[in-house]
Amino acid sequence: MYSPPPGPPRIHILGVGNLGRLFAHALANTPNPPPITLILHRPSLLSDWESAGRSISITTHGLTNSAGVYDIEEPIHSGSGMIENLIVATKTLHTAKALEAVKHRLNAQSTVLFTQNGMGTTEEVTRLIFPEDARRPNYLAAITSHGVYSEGPFRSVFAGQAHVSVGLVSGSSAKSRYLLDQIVAAKLLNATEFESRELRLLQLEKLVINAMINPLTVVYNCRNGELLKRSDIMSVMRDLLAEASQVVSSLPELRTREDGGNDVAERFSNENLKAKVLDVAEKTAANTSSMLQDFRAGRETEVGYINGYISKRGKELGINVGNNERIVEMVQKRKVVEDE
């Protein structure tokens, strides 16, 4: 039987892009930091780590901080030591494959925190990686509103300080308490814990906002703020929003016996969602969306887990989601609207 090593429980981090670096750095710079292991899931990351001086550098307001102690592992050399706490910060589309490499080190005593954009990842991981209830880890999710961009391997700029919403998705909150407490205690993250249903609603709000802004910046090849300046783009957004509003308001898992889901219908009404989308687009007007950055770099985007999730759930409910289906197809097939 596995016995955890003495001392504070270790936190492993899988995915060392901007979010993985931010979480690692924030946890490593608390007054009593937990032991942290970075799992380098690509062989090239080892040389990048050496080149970066075996440190993570986060720049805030022009000041760079490289403090923090980290251990590193490569999945192929990681042995059989169990992982008690794992933060997954890979892109949604790489999550299942990344977890496949370490699934033998996770069990029902483990906690996995998912930090990605989009939705549907936990369901996919359950189906593909942990189909057996008895071996499935406890799942947490974090919604991150911070603005972080890369300056190279293991170097990021913390450009827009906002907040993190975190909470239990499934499993035992008692077994997940240590990781939850560590996330909330890391002041740089500015994290607040929410109960499961409210966390789900917050995830869906962010999903809808991303589904309106990200793919349209790709299809029209523009910054966030430019979406608001063209009536043709706003017309497309209205059609996408109408479908998203209907889908989320109809989700059966959000209904409660007390109100029958009326709170959801109001919160996700067309008017309320439109106000939230326009507010974010205005506040991030000068930004290039992460999806457009991926698109321009020739990388696969996460549209399948954003508008694709809306389409999937809509079809399950018999709702017409043709506009969201089309926008997914356009992004995936790299179809852009040329300037007028």
Side-chain angles (χ1 to χ4, degrees):
M1 185 175 172
Y2 170 73
S3 298
R10 179 170 292 273
I11 296 175
H12 288 73
I13 297 178
L14 179 61
V16 287
N18 289 312
L19 279 188
R21 294 170 205 165
L22 180 64
F23 273 75
H25 178 80
L27 290 165
N29 284 276
T30 58
N32 297 295
I36 297 170
T37 294
L38 309 177
I39 300 176
L40 307 183
H41 56 291
R42 292 195 312 274
S44 62
L45 288 171
L46 195 55
S47 59
D48 288 342
W49 178 244
E50 296 294 340
S51 300
R54 301 176 69 83
S55 66
I56 291 173
S57 298
I58 300 291
T59 301
T60 310
H61 302 309
L63 299 174
T64 300
N65 183 350
S66 302
V69 176
Y70 312 95
D71 297 305
I72 58 164
E73 285 180 1
E74 293 178 274
I76 54 172
H77 301 136
S78 60
S80 57
M82 294 304 294
I83 294 176
E84 292 178 81
N85 301 284
L86 178 65
I87 296 174
V88 181
T90 58
K91 291 274 191 181
T92 46
L93 46 155
H94 305 313
T95 300
K97 185 179 178 184
L99 275 171
E100 179 72 37
V102 294
K103 71 175 183 180
H104 62 290
R105 303 175 61 194
L106 296 160
N107 61 23
Q109 303 305 310
S110 307
T111 294
V112 178
L113 169 65
F114 296 87
T115 64
Q116 298 105 332
N117 277 328
M119 293 182 71
T121 317
T122 52
E123 294 92 330
E124 183 177 71
V125 165
T126 293
R127 189 178 77 251
L128 298 176
I129 311 296
F130 300 113
E132 299 172 31
D133 289 353
R135 282 196 53 80
R136 188 175 307 136
N138 306 283
Y139 293 166
L140 301 176
I143 309 161
T144 305
S145 302
H146 297 300
V148 191
Y149 66 86
S150 179
E151 282 202 320
F154 298 98
R155 299 199 318 274
S156 294
V157 175
F158 193 14
Q161 292 175 279
H163 52 84
V164 169
S165 304
V166 65
L168 185 72
V169 174
S170 64
S172 164
S173 58
K175 291 174 184 172
S176 304
R177 178 47 49 198
Y178 174 78
L179 185 53
L180 275 167
D181 287 346
Q182 290 294 318
I183 296 296
V184 172
K187 287 187 177 178
L188 192 67
L189 294 177
N190 189 26
T192 304
E193 182 182 348
F194 290 91
E195 56 85 21
S196 296
R197 185 173 185 270
E198 179 60 23
L199 185 75
R200 183 82 170 174
L201 294 172
L202 290 169
Q203 283 181 301
L204 286 161
E205 281 181 347
K206 185 171 185 189
L207 179 86
V208 173
I209 291 166
N210 285 342
M212 299 306 110
I213 295 173
N214 290 12
L216 289 176
T217 62
V218 170
V219 169
Y220 290 93
N221 189 27
C222 65
R223 293 180 187 269
N224 294 2
E226 291 171 44
L227 298 174
L228 309 176
K229 298 175 183 176
R230 286 178 50 178
S231 58
D232 57 333
I233 299 178
M234 292 302 293
S235 175
V236 175
M237 188 186 289
R238 276 195 298 275
D239 293 339
L240 293 171
L241 198 59
E243 292 177 358
S245 172
Q246 189 180 359
V247 170
V248 176
S249 299
S250 304
L251 291 175
E253 67 267 27
L254 299 180
R255 297 202 186 104
T256 64
R257 239 176 294 172
E258 294 77 29
D259 59 31
N262 287 338
D263 65 325
V264 177
E266 184 177 343
R267 185 164 171 172
F268 289 87
S269 69
N270 240 315
E271 298 74 25
N272 282 343
L273 287 176
K274 183 180 178 183
K276 288 181 184 296
V277 171
L278 296 182
D279 181 56
V280 171
E282 286 168 5
K283 286 178 177 173
T284 62
N287 292 10
T288 300
S289 74
S290 58
M291 192 178 290
L292 182 55
Q293 291 176 48
D294 286 340
F295 185 85
R296 286 176 173 171
R299 296 187 292 263
E300 193 176 351
T301 74
E302 297 179 290
V303 71
Y305 293 84
I306 299 175
N307 300 77
Y309 183 81
I310 293 169
S311 298
K312 175 177 175 289
R313 298 307 306 272
K315 284 190 280 188
E316 290 170 0
L317 295 163
I319 295 169
N320 183 345
V321 284
N323 292 292
N324 279 277
E325 287 181 290
R326 275 191 292 279
I327 207 81
V328 170
E329 183 182 8
M330 289 183 77
V331 173
Q332 290 179 338
K333 293 187 175 178
R334 306 186 71 80
K335 295 178 180 176
V336 300
V337 176
E338 300 299 333
D339 290 338
E340 294 173 329

